[in-house]
Amino acid sequence: MALKLSVIGTGYLGATHAACMASLGFDVVGIDVDESKISQLKLGKVPFFEPELEPLLAEQIASGRLTFTTDFSAIADCDVHFICVGTPQMKDGLAADISYVNASLDAVAKIVKSGALVVGKSTVPVGTAMRLREKLLSINPAADLAWNPEFLREGFAVEDTLHPSRLVVGVMSDSAENILKEVYAANLAEGTPWVRSDLPTAELVKVAANSFLATKISFINAMAEICDASGADVTVLAQAIGYDPRIGNKFLQAGIGFGGGCLPKDIRAFMARAGELGATESLEFLREIDSINNRSRNKVVEMAKRELGGSCEGKRVAVLGAAFKPNSDDIRDSPALYIASQLKVAGADVVVHDPKAIENSKKKYPELSYVDSVDELLAGADLVLHLTEWKQYREIDPVHAKSLAHGAIIIDGRNALDMNAWSSAGWRIHAVGRTSR
Ligand code: UGA
């Protein structure tokens, strides 16, 4: 008999995991405390934008394998429970708020059947899994707990879940590993690397990976600062160093830096945890990574102010992009919206366009203006900022854009536009780490 799975927490991670596991043939119950989220999911509606997820979800609900509930007693017969709830940054510090993980463990511990496995997927401070396992076993000694971090990228969540780069399983017993091998049999059959570890190593793999990615981005943004100071070109530099396979050409896109619900909060939570462990010095460099990242956003704010002649008062600033990255409607810690709101505070009339993230942006930044079309956005603009590199923005015709705008100045905060094409069309174009044209 195929295993029956539950997925606790139905956000980006959980909803995707639930739909993907159902597509592999498992019976899956998604559970969340948020009634409105569950009622939407029951109707096959994904409460956020993630390519490919909605049709997959609808298909799996129709197959009868995927159901949703808010009632924990409905998952009591499951063999495996995946904890996929969020661990946001604390309001009053750098550490992660793991109260949702704790609450999930408490709830599942009450109903878990003997022989079942609880599997943490949320990103947590090292040491959490061991503590949760002890608690679970004190309530049901015949259950077990494993940690199985998730590496999916928003925008590619379905692809990354069905075909992960690797599977990391932190376990304390062979039986726990065997259950996970059954869950991930399809991945094992296609040769996905399988790494068995202890619980703390599995927890650390996740934050170490995100810290490395954040470091790569801040490294190239630091190089962009040096390029600005010396007249060099950071895009050519990135291309050239990227040919060395030890460096690699990914995650070397200089610009306004990283945002989102993961990289910024994960490096901060990692620093906070290192402090608790008496290892502050080991992660001191992440403080610098974070400050380079913050500087990258602020540099574009300053550049925009300069281009507006020092005063933003009454100037129309057109912002292309609000999401923290393309193919997502996620605006958590979005560098684009940070820049937009800073210019609004400075007195500019800031208008924002995004193909998917306008609804979310309106809720968090009601003071900004929003438009549905790029033409409307560009009309009468004194300054244009390209801040999220959606494909459709690369397809804008600079000649047409110039006929709409008031000024012809654009800042490419993502190094994604064709500088020659924009400058030939009569624009003054600035980009991070490159000579303006
Ligand atoms: C990140 C990791 O890439 C995933 O592996 C991880 O599973 C996930 O966090 C998580 O912890 O859940 P994600 O937040 O979806 O995934 O976004 P990324 O693709 O990593 O991009 C993060 C930010 O870095 C974006 O704001 C993006 O614009 C920026 N970025 C990325 C750059 O500024 N330059 C680059 O070269 C690449």
Side-chain angles (χ1 to χ4, degrees):
M1 264 262 293
L3 296 170
K4 185 169 179 189
L5 318 179
S6 90
V7 175
I8 303 165
T10 55
Y12 287 97
L13 167 56
T16 310
H17 192 65
C20 289
M21 290 298 119
S23 78
L24 293 174
F26 296 105
D27 277 337
V28 183
V29 187
I31 182 162
D32 204 292
V33 291
D34 184 336
E35 305 255 0
S36 75
K37 208 184 262 181
I38 290 297
S39 33
Q40 281 201 60
L41 287 165
K42 276 183 177 165
L43 298 171
K45 296 259 166 270
V46 177
F48 50 85
F49 173 70
E50 179 59 47
E52 294 178 34
L53 183 54
E54 201 156 86
L56 184 75
L57 184 95
E59 187 187 293
Q60 295 312 311
I61 292 173
S63 77
R65 282 190 296 272
L66 179 59
T67 55
F68 290 96
T69 183
T70 52
D71 174 12
F72 268 84
S73 65
I75 61 167
D77 62 338
C78 288
D79 304 290
V80 184
H81 302 275
F82 287 99
I83 297 182
C84 295
V85 295
T87 52
Q89 185 175 336
M90 290 274 208
K91 295 216 161 36
D92 57 354
L94 295 184
D97 173 0
I98 55 165
S99 56
Y100 303 117
V101 174
N102 290 337
S104 304
L105 192 278
D106 289 346
V108 81
K110 285 197 191 110
I111 53 91
V112 68
K113 67 178 184 184
S114 294
L117 183 66
V118 177
V119 183
K121 286 191 87 64
S122 309
T123 304
V124 290
V126 60
T128 305
M130 196 66 91
R131 180 176 54 74
L132 295 181
R133 185 171 185 272
E134 277 160 20
K135 185 156 192 203
L136 177 71
L137 266 60
S138 73
I139 298 167
N140 185 345
D144 199 356
L145 182 138
W147 216 260
N148 168 220
E150 177 59 55
F151 305 103
L152 68 80
R153 299 158 297 167
E154 286 177 23
F156 301 91
V158 172
E159 169 70 15
D160 286 354
T161 303
L162 290 175
H163 307 287
S165 51
R166 72 287 206 193
L167 284 158
V168 177
V169 295
V171 290
M172 299 277 283
S173 66
D174 289 342
S175 59
E177 182 181 18
N178 289 338
I179 293 175
L180 285 166
K181 279 190 170 160
E182 213 176 316
V183 171
Y184 293 120
N187 302 113
L188 286 172
E190 65 181 31
T192 306
W194 180 266
V195 183
R196 174 179 169 156
S197 74
D198 52 27
L199 296 176
T201 306
E203 292 167 308
L204 278 179
V205 168
K206 171 64 193 242
V207 281
N210 275 1
S211 298
F212 194 88
L213 294 171
T215 301
K216 241 184 144 177
I217 300 168
S218 279
F219 172 83
I220 202 65
N221 283 332
M223 292 305 113
E225 292 180 350
I226 302 295
C227 288
D228 278 335
S230 61
D233 185 320
V234 74
T235 60
V236 179
L237 181 140
Q239 184 195 6
I241 62 172
Y243 283 124
D244 183 332
R246 293 170 303 172
I247 296 174
N249 60 7
K250 305 255 166 59
F251 264 64
L252 286 180
Q253 187 90 8
I256 56 176
F258 57 83
C262 303
L263 261 47
K265 70 107 177 152
D266 284 356
I267 61 168
R268 293 171 197 151
F270 199 11
M271 284 186 269
R273 185 67 186 129
E276 289 166 7
L277 293 167
T280 301
E281 268 188 356
S282 310
L283 297 186
E284 206 52 76
F285 75 97
L286 287 179
R287 207 171 297 282
E288 196 53 40
I289 298 307
D290 203 13
S291 56
I292 294 169
N293 194 50
N294 288 329
R295 212 152 68 214
S296 304
R297 307 168 172 200
N298 283 314
K299 282 175 59 178
V300 167
V301 173
E302 293 316 313
M303 197 190 276
K305 287 180 181 167
R306 273 198 310 277
E307 286 305 319
L308 291 172
S311 165
C312 297
E313 237 26 85
K315 303 280 173 54
R316 183 176 164 95
V317 176
V319 174
L320 290 163
F324 86 104
K325 69 172 188 180
N327 301 316
S328 173
D329 65 353
D330 194 345
I331 58 156
R332 286 176 292 172
D333 207 344
S334 165
L337 286 170
Y338 171 82
I339 293 166
S341 66
Q342 289 296 307
L343 292 171
K344 175 74 190 174
V345 168
D349 166 19
V350 182
V351 195
V352 181
H353 176 271
D354 190 284
K356 296 286 176 193
I358 293 300
E359 285 316 308
N360 287 342
S361 308
K362 275 183 183 165
K363 283 180 217 145
K364 185 145 187 240
Y365 296 93
E367 71 277 19
L368 302 174
S369 307
Y370 298 93
V371 290
D372 293 328
S373 83
V374 172
D375 276 12
E376 229 183 307
L377 180 90
L378 296 174
D382 294 294
L383 173 67
V384 181
L385 304 181
H386 175 242
L387 301 183
T388 312
E389 69 278 35
W390 287 92
K391 183 165 172 281
Q392 77 177 79
Y393 299 153
R394 290 198 288 283
E395 290 162 357
I396 294 172
D397 173 7
V399 176
H400 174 65
K402 186 157 185 288
S403 72
L404 299 171
H406 178 241
I409 314 168
I410 181 163
I411 300 175
D412 181 6
R414 292 294 186 179
N415 264 314
L417 300 177
D418 179 344
M419 279 186 104
N420 288 334
W422 283 81
S423 97
S424 308
W427 287 80
R428 179 159 172 76
I429 175 160
H430 303 276
V432 180
R434 296 168 88 182
T435 308
S436 303
R437 288 180 205 170

